[in-house]
Structures are given as C-alpha cells and as structure tokens.
Amino acid sequence: MAPTCLRPLLRFRSFAILFLTPLLLLPLPLVVSTREARCAYIIIIMAVYWCTEVIPLAVTALIPVVFFPLLGVQTAKKVCFQYLNNTNMLFLGGLIVAISVEQWNLHKRIALRVLLILGVKPALLMLGFMVVTAFLSMWISNTATTAMMVPIVQAVLDQMDSTEYDVTMMEQATGQTNAVIELEEKSTSESTAVHVISNEQVPDDPRSSEEQKIKKRICKGMTLCVCYAASIGGTATLTGTGPNVVLKGQMNQLYPNNNDIVNFASWFGFAFPNMIVMLALAWLWLQCSFMGLNLKKNWGYGTERTAKEKAAYNVLKEEMRKLGPVSYAELNVFLLFLLLVLLWFTRNPGFVKGWAARLFSGGDKYITDSVPAMFVALLLFVLPAHKPKLIAWNQSMSDPKKTEEDIKKPFLSTSLLEWDVVQRKMPWSIVLLLGGGFALADASANSGLSAWLGHQMTPLGSIPPWAIATVVSLIIAVFTECTSNVATATLFLPVFSSLATSIKIHPLYVMVPATLSASFAFMLPVATPPNAIVFSYGHLRVLDMCSSEAGGVPESQKYICQCLQ
C-alpha cells in the first residue's frame, strides 16, 4: 500500500509519465544535434512507454511514423515500409492459418485425442497437457492455446475431485456401518457407545485439511503446466511467438545480405530440440514440486486405473464425443495445415535444393517463407467449408420442391474462412508492434546509432562470449517479466547486434539466447497472456508463480498414495 500522502499523486502517474518523459529527455537532441541523438531520443521515449504501458503498446509503436520524419531521422516512406514488410506478411499468413484451425476446433480435437492416447495417470496426465499445449502453441497463438486447454484441465480436475469425494464418503459410511454391527454383538454395558456412534453425523467433507492442501497443490501444478508449456512450445517455430518473428525481421534489417540464414526450416532445426529439452525440464520441475517422483503411483506401474482416473478419462471422452465426427471443413483445414508445413520445410532445406529453386527461375532469391504462408491463407478463403453437391440434370422429380431448392443453392458453399472472422480474431496490435520494432531497427542502423553503440561496447571484447550470452539471457529474462516479450525483443536485439559487431562474434550468438529468453516469462501473471489466463482461475497466487517449491515433495507423494490408489 502506498502512503496516504502519495495516493493522490498516483492518480497523475500516467499523465506524468506521458508528458514529462519527452520534456525531461528533450536536452538530448537539443544539446547533441546529431541524427544518432535524435534517434536515441525517440527510442528512449518508446522504451519508457512500452515498459509502463501508459498508452497501448500498438499506439506507442506508431510513434516512429510521426517523429522520425519530423526530426529528420528517416523519411516517412522508409518508415512506413517497415510496418508491412516481408516478415510481417509471414506472420500474418501464419496467423490466418491458425485462426482457421481455431475456427473449426481442430486444435481441440488434436488435444483430446492425444490426451486419450497418453492416459490419465498423474504424471502422464500432466505430461499429456504439456505436450498438447506445446505442440499447439507452435502453430497457433499461445493465448488461444491456453484459453482452450485450461477449461479442459479444470473439467478434469473437478471431476476427479468429485469422484474422490464420493469414494471417501462411501468408504466412511461403510466403515461406520461395520462399527455398529460389531458393537451390537457386545454386552449391553456398551450400548451407550453404540448409540453415540450409530447416530454420529457424517461431516460435509471427510477429507483432512492436509489432504485438502495437497489437492490444491496438485491443481496448481496442473494449471501451471499449461502456461509453462504454451510459452515453451511457441519457441519451436518461427511464427510460434512474437520474439522469433522480431529476430527474423531484425536480421533482415540489420544484415540484408545474410543469405536467409533465419528461415522456418533452419529455426526449427535449432529450436525444436531445445523446446523438447526445456519441456522435459519443466515437466520434471513441476513433478518434483507438486507430485513427487513415485513411479508406481504417478506412472501407474503395477496398478489398475482408479475411480478417480476413470472419471478423468470419461470427461475427456465426453468432450471428444461432443465434437462429433471429423467434418469436411476440419479435414480440409488439416490438409492445408500439413501443406503449409511441408512447403515451409522444403522451400530451402539447406542440404539440397528446395522447391523454390527447382521449380522457379531465381526462386531462391524471389521466394521467401511468406509466399507459402499467404498461398495457403488465400486457399482458405477459396475452398468451400462443405462438400459440393453435384445435381444431375435427369434426376428424379419425386420431390419437385426439394429438387428446386437444391438447384437454387450455389455449387460452392461458404469458404473455410471468412474475413469477418479474421478481422475479429486477428491480433492487429502485434502486427503494429512488430512494424514499430522494425522501424526502430532500420532507423537505428541508418542514423548511425547502432555503430555508436557498438563502439561504446568495444571493451566488452575481453569477456568470454559464453559469459556475455549468459548475462544477456539473464537481463532479458528479468526484463520480460515486466514488459511485453515482443517489446523486450524489439528494444534489445538491435543493441545486442551492435554488441556482437563490436566484439567480433556472430550476432546470432547473442541474439538467439536473447530471443528465447524473451519468451520464458514464467514468474508474474502480467508477464504473458497465458500466465494471466491461468492466474484468473483462482488456483494460484503470485508467490506460487514466483516459486513453485512451496510445501515440498513428501506431502505430494502422500496425497498420491492416499487418493490415487
């Protein structure tokens, strides 16, 4: 709580930051009258606005369009070009395909099918939630994945808890009945005890407070695993999360002759194994913190499926039944999704000529990953959502009215995706945020600010590169807890590029660790939308997210032994 005397001042916090920041920084471009200083002036103001969010992030990203031309840093034509460049078109295409997957519930069908295959033993259930969430967040937004998975997790946990309560009540009632029968066979001197026990009321919740506490820990672990996996899974693909797209765009801006070193295939080859390792470590950490590593109980070795696990399995089966059979639209969207992934991987694999170079003259120069993304996006607006019906000319006239209605229907139904849906679900703010970041990087390079920063960091060349990469990762990991991961990557990647140039190491050596660290925001609910979604369900406190070791393993193991056998 702020002191009473300061509370009235907090009302003017946003106003003060919004107007005082440019005024306090105004001496910089006035005293140092260079393009570098003017560019730095705008970048610092945007950094403050992004960190404090006094105005929306996307609105802050539009500042370069106004002030770079006014201050003579960059022409308006060059600035505006950055807001819808090749990298942004790649991101847009990937988002459109992701929206079509969400529109037809294909992601939910995939999630439920995998969970039913893996099973509902405690460790397998958590592993299943994490694998499904990570896989889906590779292709659709982390927010949409989390928003879809958390209700499934909640339904499973609620059903398991309800079943455990019913079983406990039944066991207690059975135990009391046996006690009464035994007491009736004793002498009449003990009749008072019989009366007391036989009339004892069953408590509302027979489970001990200790069991209740450990149950809450299980709920925390199951919900935390979703937001962890969503953030980790997004790092595996180039379009999976914003910082990856920022890296791609910054490399193209700062190193135009990089020979397309960062493309979908090359990034996947590096990041997918890293994602698997991170996912396994996160699962192991959550297991140790919330469930323990009792293989017999958690993995189900040598045990039969309990009533609690059967209830969880039935919930998943019921959700799968509600989806019904695979529709024509789902099948088409799935095939188009596979086509897009295939085109991305085979465009320029690196070890052999891709389809771009083989099928088109100069295709390796003219065709980028944005081309197949937009091609599949266009097909989504063309192909029908329902199977076309061929009506023969000589069909039977047994039902003339129905025949006339069929003839009036168009041959092709509505498309797999409609623009109204895209307009409603597309995160346009991220597109503008990426564009603002690319404009900053371009202006920083052309104004000479990047070269000046690199010169100032030359003394860091005496530090080992691995130590620099470690420090960079720690800085970004801390910073991204309080700021948007896209904004964090946008602000820091050009600086780290200048650092790499000044100490003569490959820029990706420091830019890639920074990019990955920007996505690993696990500590605070405000760090990422997945964290906020999970936090809103009420199972977690901020302290739980900051430290998942509260309570220890032995209690969790005891809970598994008591309630899941």
Side-chain angles (χ1 to χ4, degrees):
M1 293 288 294
T4 307
C5 59
L6 296 180
R7 287 179 189 173
L9 298 178
L10 294 178
R11 295 175 53 205
F12 302 98
R13 171 182 170 273
S14 296
F15 176 83
I17 293 173
L18 192 59
F19 291 98
L20 290 182
T21 301
L23 291 176
L24 293 175
L25 293 172
L26 194 56
L28 176 60
L30 293 179
V31 175
V32 185
S33 183
T34 61
R35 286 182 67 197
E36 296 95 317
R38 294 193 292 271
C39 182
Y41 173 67
I42 299 300
I43 290 177
I44 294 172
I45 291 174
M46 292 179 66
V48 173
Y49 287 177
W50 270 334
C51 292
T52 56
E53 295 189 39
V54 289
I55 55 177
L57 298 177
V59 177
T60 303
L62 294 173
I63 289 178
V65 178
V66 179
F67 290 100
F68 277 169
L70 289 179
L71 296 179
V73 177
Q74 191 77 288
T75 65
K77 184 177 180 180
K78 289 185 177 180
V79 173
C80 294
F81 173 77
Q82 307 303 326
Y83 283 81
L84 209 58
N85 58 16
N86 174 66
T87 305
N88 255 337
M89 293 303 289
L90 166 64
F91 190 58
L92 273 174
L95 286 176
I96 291 174
V97 175
I99 289 172
S100 70
V101 171
E102 294 177 45
Q103 174 72 7
W104 294 103
N105 276 331
L106 182 60
H107 60 319
K108 190 171 184 179
R109 187 179 295 277
I110 293 172
L112 292 172
R113 177 59 61 190
V114 173
L115 289 172
L116 287 172
I117 292 173
L118 287 178
V120 291
K121 291 293 181 182
L124 291 177
L125 190 61
M126 177 180 280
L127 181 63
F129 285 142
M130 296 186 73
V131 168
V132 168
T133 305
F135 174 77
L136 292 176
S137 65
M138 289 165 57
W139 315 105
I140 64 177
S141 74
N142 301 349
T143 305
T145 302
T146 307
M148 186 270 297
M149 287 298 299
V150 173
I152 297 176
V153 174
Q154 186 67 40
V156 170
L157 291 175
D158 288 345
Q159 187 61 44
M160 292 173 72
D161 183 48
S162 175
T163 304
E164 177 194 348
Y165 177 81
D166 293 341
V167 170
T168 307
M169 291 286 289
M170 189 180 301
E171 289 176 352
Q172 188 181 67
T174 303
Q176 289 175 351
T177 303
N178 292 337
V180 170
I181 293 173
E182 291 175 2
L183 287 168
E184 285 177 347
E185 295 176 353
K186 293 185 178 181
S187 62
T188 55
S189 62
E190 298 174 344
S191 60
T192 306
V194 175
H195 179 74
V196 171
I197 296 176
S198 62
N199 287 289
E200 183 180 356
Q201 293 183 349
V202 178
D204 292 337
D205 193 344
R207 293 169 294 184
S208 66
S209 59
E210 183 181 356
E211 289 174 339
Q212 286 286 349
K213 288 180 181 178
I214 304 172
K215 170 190 164 294
K216 289 180 181 179
R217 291 176 51 75
I218 300 299
C219 291
K220 291 175 182 179
M222 288 294 185
T223 50
L224 268 178
C225 78
V226 174
C227 62
Y228 280 22
S231 297
I232 293 171
T235 64
T237 58
L238 196 56
T239 57
T241 188
N244 299 356
V245 184
V246 173
L247 174 65
K248 165 72 173 172
Q250 301 281 20
M251 286 297 295
N252 292 341
Q253 289 284 357
L254 302 173
Y255 307 97
N257 300 319
N258 64 60
N259 198 26
D260 198 24
I261 189 172
V262 179
N263 57 38
F264 192 90
S266 65
W267 179 264
F268 187 86
F270 160 77
F272 183 74
N274 177 76
M275 186 270 285
I276 296 296
V277 173
M278 294 299 297
L279 197 67
L281 290 175
W283 173 81
L284 189 63
W285 176 261
L286 291 172
Q287 280 287 306
C288 291
S289 300
F290 295 102
M291 292 186 178
L293 293 175
N294 189 322
L295 296 180
K296 184 176 181 181
K297 299 300 180 183
N298 286 354
W299 289 88
Y301 293 141
T303 61
E304 295 182 358
R305 185 178 290 175
T306 64
K308 194 173 181 182
E309 292 162 358
K310 289 177 182 177
Y313 189 80
N314 290 334
V315 168
L316 298 177
K317 284 186 67 176
E318 178 62 20
E319 290 293 324
M320 193 71 177
R321 187 193 63 78
K322 290 178 183 178
L323 292 177
V326 179
S327 65
Y328 179 81
E330 280 184 86
L331 180 61
N332 274 345
V333 169
F334 180 67
L335 293 176
L336 288 176
F337 169 73
L338 291 181
L339 174 64
L340 176 59
V341 175
L342 182 65
L343 290 175
W344 269 339
F345 276 115
T346 58
R347 181 187 66 84
N348 184 18
F351 54 91
V352 293
K353 273 190 176 183
W355 58 264
R358 289 183 179 275
L359 300 180
F360 302 94
S361 176
D364 52 342
K365 295 180 180 178
Y366 288 100
I367 299 174
T368 63
D369 284 332
S370 62
V371 175
M374 279 299 164
F375 171 67
V376 173
L378 289 173
L379 289 180
L380 289 168
F381 291 100
V382 174
L383 297 180
H386 303 284
K387 192 174 182 180
K389 293 183 179 180
L390 297 174
I391 303 175
W393 291 104
N394 58 347
Q395 58 185 325
S396 172
M397 302 299 291
S398 58
D399 191 353
K401 186 177 291 187
K402 183 178 179 182
T403 303
E404 186 178 351
E405 291 177 357
D406 290 340
I407 292 175
K408 288 182 180 179
K409 289 180 181 179
F411 174 68
L412 293 179
S413 64
T414 56
S415 58
L416 290 169
L417 195 59
E418 296 181 348
W419 183 251
D420 291 342
V421 178
V422 175
Q423 195 169 3
R424 187 173 66 253
K425 293 189 174 184
M426 177 68 72
W428 298 107
S429 59
I430 301 297
V431 177
L432 291 176
L433 189 56
L434 290 173
F438 298 151
L440 288 186
D442 185 58
S444 179
N446 291 331
S447 67
L449 180 61
S450 295
W452 181 84
L453 286 173
H455 180 71
Q456 303 305 312
M457 291 183 285
T458 303
L460 295 177
S462 59
I463 302 176
W466 64 266
I468 293 177
T470 303
V471 172
V472 162
S473 299
L474 291 174
I475 292 172
I476 295 297
V478 172
F479 203 84
T480 194
E481 295 293 342
C482 308
T483 314
S484 160
N485 54 7
V486 177
T488 302
T490 299
L491 288 172
F492 282 97
L493 287 186
V495 177
F496 295 151
S497 169
S498 302
L499 169 63
T501 303
S502 66
I503 61 178
K504 295 180 174 55
I505 62 174
H506 198 289
L508 289 179
Y509 193 90
V510 289
M511 293 176 74
V512 168
T515 302
L516 294 176
S517 299
S519 296
F520 294 154
F522 302 133
M523 288 180 60
L524 298 176
V526 297
T528 62
N531 291 7
I533 292 172
V534 168
F535 187 79
S536 67
Y537 274 74
H539 295 301
L540 300 168
R541 300 171 301 165
V542 175
L543 185 62
D544 296 322
M545 303 192 75
C546 292
S547 174
S548 59
E549 290 186 318
V553 175
E555 288 187 352
S556 299
Q557 289 178 335
K558 185 177 180 181
Y559 177 75
I560 298 296
C561 294
Q562 290 178 346
C563 301
L564 292 180
Q565 61 183 353

